[in-house]
């Protein structure tokens, strides 16, 4: 197989919108599940529901791939798996290095989904000398002093940063200087990179905070301003509206 350093995904040259690119892995996951169940074809409605999008958006996304399905039959599952995998660059080998082998880095190293999706963990790297040589997921951890040599010798273009926030930018700069052009960042910080380098950030704390926001909103809907729930809140609003011009105005105007 070719390495990631000599081949790039076709999505940019084909002019596929970034929003569509972001949804392709969702379609691929749903299609892979169908393929594993030996399902030969799938309708746009069924696939859209499995991927969590609407069918019109799915059909529009697939039109960028040149795939329109067959009326009355739907989409060929195996062909779509191949087509999306090709567009995402998953039909070739992508060597990846993981920098920062703490709890999170070790968990990523042990993740079994990399190989089946076209990614090969080429090296595990950590700044702690005590970690050097220790096996994690069957791979011996190497010291950061070897980072540049590791990237060059393995033809790495994708780096994963799982270090503490304070070390992430320096690690990022070394990765980029050594030739890495795509970075998946798990460190809780924003990285500064030059043009031509892609960064995807995964911040679990931010995702949890967003969920907390939605939970708070749901709790607010369940219990109205007077503690009586949404119905009581609605009744109070109607009562306020019925007051004459000299009546008391609510302390906070309704939105």
């Amino acid at each position: 197989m070719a390495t990631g350093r000599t081949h790039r995904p076709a999505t940019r040259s084909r002019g596929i919108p970034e929003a569509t690119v972001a949804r392709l892995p969702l379609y691929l996951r749903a299609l892979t599940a169908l393929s594993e169940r030996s399902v030969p074809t799938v309708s746009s409605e069924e696939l859209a529901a499995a991927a969590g999008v609407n069918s019109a958006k799915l059909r529009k996304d697939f039109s960028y791939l040149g795939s329109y399905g067959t009326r009355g039959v739907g989409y060929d599952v195996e062909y779509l798996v191949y087509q999306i995998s090709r567009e995402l660059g998953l039909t070739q080998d992508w060597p990846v290095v993981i920098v920062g082998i703490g709890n999170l880095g070790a968990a990523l190293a042990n993740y079994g989904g990399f190989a089946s999706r076209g990614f090969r963990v080429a090296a595990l790297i950590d700044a702690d000398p005590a970690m050097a040589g220790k096996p994690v997921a069957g791979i011996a951890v190497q010291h950061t002093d070897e980072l540049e040599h590791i990237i060059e010798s393995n033809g790495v273009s994708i780096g994963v940063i799982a270090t503490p926030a304070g070390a992430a930018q320096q690690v990022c700069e070394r990765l980029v200087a050594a030739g890495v052009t795509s970075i998946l960042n798990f460190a809780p910080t924003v990285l500064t990179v030059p043009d031509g380098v892609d960064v995807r950030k995964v911040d679990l704390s931010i995702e949890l905070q967003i969920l907390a926001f939605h939970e708070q909103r749901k709790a607010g809907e369940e219990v109205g301003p007077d503690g009586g729930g949404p119905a009581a809140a609605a009744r109070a609003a109607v009562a306020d509206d019925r007051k004459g011009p000299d009546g008391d105005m609510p302390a906070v105007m309704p939105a």
Side-chain angles (χ1 to χ4, degrees):
M1 276 192 173
T3 67
R5 294 299 293 277
T6 56
H7 292 74
R8 300 293 291 173
T11 52
R12 289 182 178 176
S13 62
R14 290 170 63 96
I16 300 177
E18 286 296 326
T20 296
V21 174
R23 287 188 289 269
L24 292 182
L26 303 179
Y27 302 140
L28 182 58
R29 180 173 61 189
L31 286 163
T32 300
L34 293 170
S35 175
E36 290 172 350
R37 302 203 310 268
S38 299
V39 176
T41 59
V42 62
S43 70
S44 59
E45 290 79 10
E46 292 168 334
L47 183 53
V53 303
N54 66 63
S55 57
K57 185 175 293 184
L58 178 144
R59 287 191 292 270
K60 179 67 173 176
D61 289 341
F62 284 0
S63 71
Y64 290 111
L65 308 181
S67 185
Y68 299 93
T70 303
R71 184 178 295 276
V73 177
Y75 294 94
D76 183 284
V77 170
E78 291 299 331
Y79 178 68
L80 267 185
V81 167
Y82 164 75
Q83 196 173 23
I84 294 175
S85 296
R86 182 189 62 191
E87 290 298 334
L88 290 173
L90 304 183
T91 55
Q92 59 202 52
D93 177 48
W94 293 97
V96 175
V97 295
I98 301 175
V99 185
I101 313 303
N103 291 334
L104 177 57
L108 293 171
N110 279 284
Y111 173 57
F114 284 128
S116 63
R117 289 166 173 79
F119 302 96
R120 171 174 56 86
V121 178
L124 306 177
I125 304 173
D126 197 272
D128 184 358
M131 288 290 295
K134 288 188 176 181
V136 174
I139 302 172
V141 176
Q142 300 179 69
H143 192 262
T144 48
D145 288 348
E146 303 295 322
L147 186 147
E148 287 79 8
H149 172 71
I150 292 168
I151 290 171
E152 182 179 0
S153 61
N154 287 278
V156 174
S157 59
I158 301 176
V160 178
I161 297 178
T163 66
Q169 183 61 45
Q170 182 182 15
V171 168
C172 173
E173 291 171 0
R174 289 183 63 186
L175 288 171
V176 171
V180 167
T181 52
S182 293
I183 294 173
L184 181 60
N185 178 33
F186 284 89
T189 187
V190 176
L191 299 176
T192 301
V193 297
D195 291 341
V197 176
D198 295 311
V199 176
R200 298 288 295 181
K201 180 171 173 54
V202 181
D203 193 320
L204 301 180
S205 65
I206 287 178
E207 298 302 324
L208 286 170
Q209 289 169 37
I210 293 171
L211 289 176
F213 167 81
H214 290 296
E215 285 300 313
Q216 180 173 259
R217 289 291 295 270
K218 285 185 283 188
E221 291 170 0
E222 292 169 1
V223 180
D226 62 350
R235 288 195 298 272
V238 170
D240 284 332
D241 288 340
R242 288 176 177 171
K243 290 183 178 179
D246 298 326
D248 294 334
M249 293 296 292
V252 179
M253 291 296 292

